[in-house]
Amino acid sequence: MEAKPVPDIVAKQAELRRLDGNTCFKKERLGAAIDAYTEAITLCPNVAVYWTNRALCFRKRKEWARVEEDCRKALELDSGSVKAHYMLGLALLERQEYAGGIKELEKAINLGRGADPVGYMVEEIWQILAKAKYMEWEHSSSKRSWRLQNLKEACENALQEHHFLDGSHLEEGLEGAANDHSEQLKLLEEVFNRVTQADTPTDVPDYLCCKITLDIFRDPVITPSGVTYERAVLLQHLHKVGKFDPVTREPLEEHHLVPNLAIKGAVHAYLKEHGWAYKTS
């Protein structure tokens, strides 16, 4: 059922209360700001920004349940709200719902990149997202390491038991049996070392890193010269330094940039297998 249109005079009153709330927020008067935004919501409940503004106040107060509540309401009204997805992601992370929080942060950063690739908010969201991804990996890695260690010990015990139950070591083959047992333990060690390689931090391959920042790509674009850069960093270069390719020095305009989907896919696959790499970003 569609909401009834709000009379213009009521909508104007609601907007005035929003402006009052903004003034109070800037002065760190959070209680007064919340009251003003609440009045705006009461007058005109179908404006998403009133809900996200109030959620921002609750975020400052670390009242995460109320942040989540207001952000979910805002998203019912505007599914493309970057701030609502972002703050909802933060609220979910606060209660260690990593999967849900990361999903919301990814929505926020994708929407933010479309609106303003070099905006401060995109960078802020990425930093939180990378931290959340790293924490998720760290949590999973710890559980995986514990399980693998238990499995390794069980295998070693089983080999040890088999070695002692095998009567061959009581006869002339004592030395050979000992060598076989040593080789089996060595092979077991190699197998478990290979399994844990993905969780061992190393250097990220150069082709997955921006030539300017040296960090792993987030939003790679390729120039007509064939060089791939991080979009936000290259745009800053074009706007502040000059309209040329930083490496080849060839003339370059913003509309020449093309998303490098192959590298983006490769980065996604690499991070999926090597979650520790989020910490280097």
Side-chain angles (χ1 to χ4, degrees), residues 62-198:
K62 300 188 183 301
E63 296 180 25
W64 296 107
R66 302 190 74 174
V67 171
E68 179 179 348
E69 183 181 344
D70 278 5
C71 286
R72 290 193 184 281
K73 181 60 181 178
L75 289 171
E76 288 177 12
L77 300 168
D78 178 10
S79 61
S81 172
V82 176
K83 288 183 179 180
H85 283 298
Y86 176 37
M87 289 189 288
L88 176 56
L90 293 178
L92 293 175
L93 290 179
E94 281 295 320
R95 63 178 197 225
Q96 297 187 334
E97 287 191 18
Y98 293 115
I102 287 169
K103 183 179 178 181
E104 293 300 325
L105 291 174
E106 287 176 335
K107 288 180 181 177
I109 201 166
N110 288 333
L111 289 167
R113 280 174 177 160
D116 183 9
V118 296
Y120 79 93
M121 198 167 183
V122 170
E123 177 63 22
E124 181 180 329
I125 296 170
W126 169 259
Q127 293 298 333
I128 299 294
L129 176 60
K131 182 179 179 181
K133 286 274 195 177
Y134 180 81
M135 290 172 65
E136 182 184 46
W137 166 80
E138 194 172 42
H139 179 70
S140 299
S141 177
S142 295
K143 289 174 63 177
R144 196 160 46 244
S145 177
W146 180 79
R147 289 172 179 171
L148 284 172
Q149 184 60 34
N150 285 344
L151 179 59
K152 181 183 177 183
E153 291 176 0
C155 290
E156 289 173 342
N157 290 337
L159 285 175
Q160 187 72 21
E161 183 177 352
H162 175 74
H163 175 64
F164 280 109
L165 289 177
D166 186 355
S168 63
H169 70 281
L170 297 176
E171 303 170 359
E172 295 180 359
L174 176 62
E175 184 177 349
N179 288 337
D180 286 345
H181 179 61
S182 178
E183 283 298 316
Q184 288 172 338
L185 289 176
K186 183 178 179 181
L187 180 60
L188 184 67
E189 184 73 22
E190 290 178 2
V191 169
F192 278 92
N193 283 341
R194 288 192 179 187
V195 172
T196 59
Q197 278 180 358

Side-chain angles (χ1 to χ4, degrees), residues 247-274:
V247 172
T248 67
R249 317 297 287 186
E250 292 290 327
L252 183 63
E253 297 284 345
E254 186 173 337
H255 66 270
H256 293 153
L257 307 182
V258 177
N260 193 329
L261 300 181
I263 290 295
K264 189 171 185 178
V267 168
H268 178 76
Y270 187 83
L271 289 173
K272 187 175 181 180
E273 295 296 323
H274 307 85

Side-chain angles (χ1 to χ4, degrees), residues 195-242:
V195 172
T196 59
Q197 278 180 358
D199 281 341
T200 304
T202 58
D203 292 331
V204 177
D206 288 342
Y207 75 95
L208 297 180
C209 298
C210 175
K211 294 183 181 300
I212 299 176
T213 67
L214 303 182
D215 287 333
I216 194 166
F217 283 114
R218 311 173 194 175
D219 187 17
V221 291
I222 190 168
T223 68
S225 302
V227 184
T228 299
Y229 300 96
E230 181 63 35
R231 181 192 296 273
V233 175
L234 184 54
L235 289 178
Q236 286 181 342
H237 168 85
L238 294 178
H239 295 161
K240 296 181 179 180
V241 181

